[in-house]
Every structure is written in C-alpha cells, then in structure tokens.
Amino acid sequence: MKDFDSSRVHSSWLPILEPHRELIVDILTRISMEDFTPSSHQIFRAFEVPLDSIKCVIVGQDPYPSRGHAHGLSFSTDAAISPLPKSLLNIFKELKSDVGKSIPESGDLSSWLHQGVMLLNRVLTTRVGQANSHSKLGWQQVTDSVARELGKRDVIAILWGKHAQELSHHFKFSIESAHPSPLSSYRGFFGSKPFSKVNEFLISQGKDPIDW
C-alpha cells in the first residue's frame, strides 16, 4: 500500500485494507490541513500485530479528542497522560472488580495488544478538541471490513456502547454492555465482567487467557 504511512501495519492486514486504499487516501488528504489526533504515524497502530494473533477485539467509538491522549489504540493513552480519561478509569475500576487487578497508573494498553487484544476504534481519527468530528468521512467502511474478517476467525468481541454494537452482527461471540463513559457506565457497564468472560471463552477454545 502506498500513499499513506503503513510502517505500523503488519503485512497480514494489507489484503483487508487494500480494497479501501482510495477511501483511506481520500480521508487522509481531507484531514491533512486539520489539527487531528492521533498523529499520522499512529492512525493504524492497532494493525501492527499479525492478524492471526488476534484473539479478542475491544471496539471504541473514536480517539480521545484531547491533544496527546490518543495514540492509535482504542481507550488507551500515552503513558505520560495524567489524570487518566474518565472512560479508561472506569474500565480499570471494572477490571479491579472483575479480576482483582490493581488500577494501573499508566493508561497505555499496549501490553494487551501484544497478547492478542486488538484495540480498534470505529473511526480512526478526530479533530483535536472535537469528539466524533470525523464520523462522516467513511472510516466505518474500513472498520466494518476489519470486524467482518475478525468474526470469520471466531475472534471474541467486547462491544461497549451503541457505536461498537453496530458491529455485533459480524461476531459469533461477543460481550456487550453500556459504554464505560461516566454518562452511561452505570447503565450496565459496571458488573458486566468482560475481562473474566473473555478469558473463560479463550480457555474453552484451548487458547491462553489474557493477562489483563
């Protein structure tokens, strides 16, 4: 793939992304004059590991709009960010409640990615300071194709909120609840135990569980 920085894209993803090359180039061209996030070299960071290594996908809406927070992985932040985004803090609270893990000081979830947890946003970019501002550029066509491929491979999906749940039909196995945002987390996110449920599923499939 030419025309965009694919240095973080593992070659196994290119057959899924290639049919969208013209759309991707068009989107990147349209936002090139904007102040957007994450940085251009991090937009496709969720694709840096081999496709066949993915065991679970966590789908987010779009990147954190605050400058410097997003780094290409849904819900994850750069390790230097403090305080943590409220949605991520709620995720960590549920993680502690679910599997007993202490709340991390760092919001960098890269270790999850390298254990086979894809952290995928429905929309891969946004304007700095404006959440959901790139929702009509066409990124969903790309992430639909990604979800379809993952579903074919029996990857288990964690779908938090309505935007993520738009992809539920692609997956045979999914865990769905309210979004971890403070606006919705008390409508069923807390107590949903997604982390232990994923590991129970993986073990039942003869796969190694995730060290969340």
Side-chain angles (χ1 to χ4, degrees):
M1 265 179 141
K2 303 176 181 178
D3 309 314
F4 80 98
D5 183 2
S6 60
S7 62
R8 290 194 111 141
V9 176
H10 189 274
S11 59
S12 58
W13 288 104
L14 296 182
I16 290 86
L17 298 178
E18 175 62 31
H20 300 288
R21 184 184 65 81
E22 290 187 10
L23 172 62
I24 292 170
V25 171
D26 178 66
I27 293 172
L28 296 180
T29 300
R30 291 173 68 181
I31 70 175
S32 62
M33 300 303 292
E34 294 183 8
D35 190 8
F36 66 87
T37 189
S39 59
S40 58
H41 74 281
Q42 294 177 316
I43 292 173
F44 293 92
R45 190 174 167 209
F47 302 90
E48 70 180 11
V49 298
L51 172 57
D52 63 8
S53 73
I54 303 301
K55 300 186 286 189
C56 171
V57 58
I58 299 178
V59 181
Q61 178 177 305
D62 66 337
Y64 295 121
S66 299
R67 188 183 304 280
H69 280 213
H71 64 171
L73 305 177
S74 65
F75 296 106
S76 182
T77 67
D78 187 271
I81 297 301
S82 182
L84 297 176
K86 292 180 180 178
S87 291
L88 181 56
L89 184 58
N90 282 343
I91 290 170
F92 285 160
K93 288 177 179 178
E94 177 62 17
L95 178 65
K96 182 177 181 180
S97 172
D98 186 7
V99 300
K101 185 165 184 176
S102 298
I103 294 177
E105 294 183 4
S106 169
D108 186 350
L109 304 179
S110 299
S111 66
W112 293 5
L113 176 66
H114 294 291
Q115 294 182 75
V117 180
M118 188 177 198
L119 298 159
L120 179 71
N121 278 314
R122 275 294 265 141
V123 174
L124 300 185
T125 60
T126 197
R127 195 174 297 124
V128 170
Q130 296 183 42
N132 218 27
S133 56
H134 289 172
S135 63
K136 296 182 179 180
L137 297 183
W139 280 125
Q140 293 90 337
Q141 294 180 47
V142 180
T143 52
D144 273 344
S145 292
V146 172
R148 186 179 305 112
E149 181 64 28
L150 294 175
K152 291 177 183 177
R153 295 166 178 259
D154 290 345
V155 168
I156 187 170
I158 295 178
L159 306 175
W160 290 324
K162 64 178 183 178
H163 292 279
Q165 288 161 13
E166 291 170 354
L167 298 176
S168 63
H169 63 284
H170 291 306
F171 297 97
K172 299 175 189 174
F173 312 102
S174 64
I175 298 165
E176 303 179 26
S177 74
H179 193 278
S181 162
L183 299 176
S184 58
S185 55
Y186 290 96
R187 298 178 195 158
F189 171 74
F190 288 123
S192 60
K193 300 185 180 299
F195 307 103
S196 60
K197 288 178 180 177
V198 165
N199 279 348
E200 288 169 5
F201 171 79
L202 293 176
I203 292 169
S204 76
Q205 298 293 306
K207 299 177 182 178
D208 291 334
I210 306 300
D211 179 8
W212 301 104

